[in-house]
Amino acid sequence: MSNHKTNNSRRDFLLKSMTLIPAAVIGGSGVGALTAPTPAVAASNTTTQNDYQPTFFTPEEWAFIKAAVARLIPADERGPGALEAGVPEFIDRQMNIPYATGSIWYMQGPFNPDVPKEMGYQLPLVPKQIYNLGISDADAYSKKTAGKPFAELDGAQQDAMLQKFESGEAEFHQLPSKLFFSYLLQNTREGFFSDPIHGGNKDMVGWKLINFPGARADFMDWVERGERYPFPPVSIRGERG
């Protein structure tokens, strides 16, 4: 499969997966006004990631995060990817809120990872630990099977590695690789579509891709018109895309 087709399939999957992202993270009140994305915007013309310095991740972990999200949502002719949108910053900032410590979760035992997933989360690990342990295991697996840490692999190798994480084929020692991948993918999606106030979706590139109006006070009169919403998105801080 060509890289062009791979990137298109990723973006198509990304658009279809929007329903999996909580509306509170996106920063709006609904998705009824979404229509087809705008014509292609050259990735080279977009704003690149700023010089944000992580406060949670180590340099090695930061290199992994940046490399991984760049493969999960790559920049292409339709617009910027996760790296340009500031998704690594979003994830790092999420590691410094109650979500990362499991403060809003029920974390009392017993823990039984063999029960059906319908029974809920069954590990004594919170998101901070999932990232620390997951990245450590991911790089260890990459070094063992490919001779280099994940961030130093080429794009094709990184894609193949991520597929092994996603399927659970990769053998991690401290947590299931499939679990780690699920958090990485979900947080990447959230960072790409969240309000820019959270660190991701810089220049509202995610909202522009799906024609989401953002935090506009009222757009419901456009929902059932069958027309493309004509106004640019607005962030919580009042910035216009």
Side-chain angles (χ1 to χ4, degrees):
M1 179 182 293
S2 70
N3 187 60
H4 173 74
K5 291 182 178 179
T6 299
N7 285 352
N8 277 343
S9 65
R10 283 183 183 146
R11 284 196 176 264
D12 291 339
F13 171 76
L14 183 68
L15 296 176
K16 293 175 183 176
S17 70
M18 270 294 296
T19 56
L20 302 177
I21 302 175
V25 174
I26 297 173
S29 58
V31 294
L34 305 188
T35 59
T38 56
V41 178
S44 59
N45 294 332
T46 62
T47 303
T48 57
Q49 189 183 20
N50 62 15
D51 295 326
Y52 174 81
Q53 296 299 312
T55 60
F56 174 77
F57 293 111
T58 67
E60 293 77 17
E61 292 171 337
W62 190 237
F64 174 92
I65 290 291
K66 292 195 295 183
V69 303
R71 301 311 300 171
L72 292 174
I73 307 179
D76 60 18
E77 70 280 356
R78 295 175 69 179
L83 190 61
E84 295 78 14
V87 170
E89 176 181 340
F90 170 85
I91 296 176
D92 184 70
R93 292 172 65 173
Q94 292 298 297
M95 295 299 102
N96 293 291
I97 65 173
Y99 158 77
T101 60
S103 298
I104 58 176
W105 295 1
Y106 177 81
M107 291 297 294
Q108 302 299 314
F111 301 101
N112 187 351
D114 296 323
V115 302
K117 63 180 181 179
E118 290 78 9
M119 299 297 292
Y121 183 64
Q122 293 290 328
L123 288 177
L125 302 174
V126 298
K128 279 187 174 185
Q129 296 168 315
I130 291 172
Y131 271 98
N132 287 149
L133 300 177
I135 295 174
S136 174
D137 279 357
D139 270 340
Y141 181 83
S142 179
K143 291 175 184 177
K144 179 180 178 180
T145 58
K148 298 178 181 179
F150 180 87
E152 295 180 14
L153 302 178
D154 62 36
Q157 290 175 309
Q158 289 175 343
D159 288 347
M161 200 69 66
L162 288 170
Q163 290 173 355
K164 292 181 179 180
F165 299 165
E166 181 181 22
S167 67
E169 178 184 345
E171 296 183 0
F172 284 11
H173 297 294
Q174 302 175 93
L175 77 171
S177 61
K178 193 172 184 177
L179 173 72
F180 169 63
F181 179 86
S182 70
Y183 274 84
L184 177 64
L185 177 60
Q186 181 65 15
N187 291 157
T188 299
R189 290 169 174 158
E190 291 170 349
F192 195 74
F193 290 114
S194 67
D195 189 278
I197 199 171
H198 303 298
N201 192 18
K202 295 189 182 301
D203 296 323
M204 289 166 270
V205 296
W207 290 354
K208 292 174 184 176
L209 175 68
I210 60 175
N211 195 37
F212 183 71
R216 284 187 173 274
D218 185 14
F219 59 88
M220 296 308 295
D221 56 333
W222 286 86
V223 171
E224 297 182 357
R225 290 190 184 188
E227 302 174 25
R228 180 174 178 80
Y229 189 70
F231 305 112
V234 176
S235 73
I236 289 174
R237 289 183 294 217
E239 303 157 324
R240 293 177 181 269

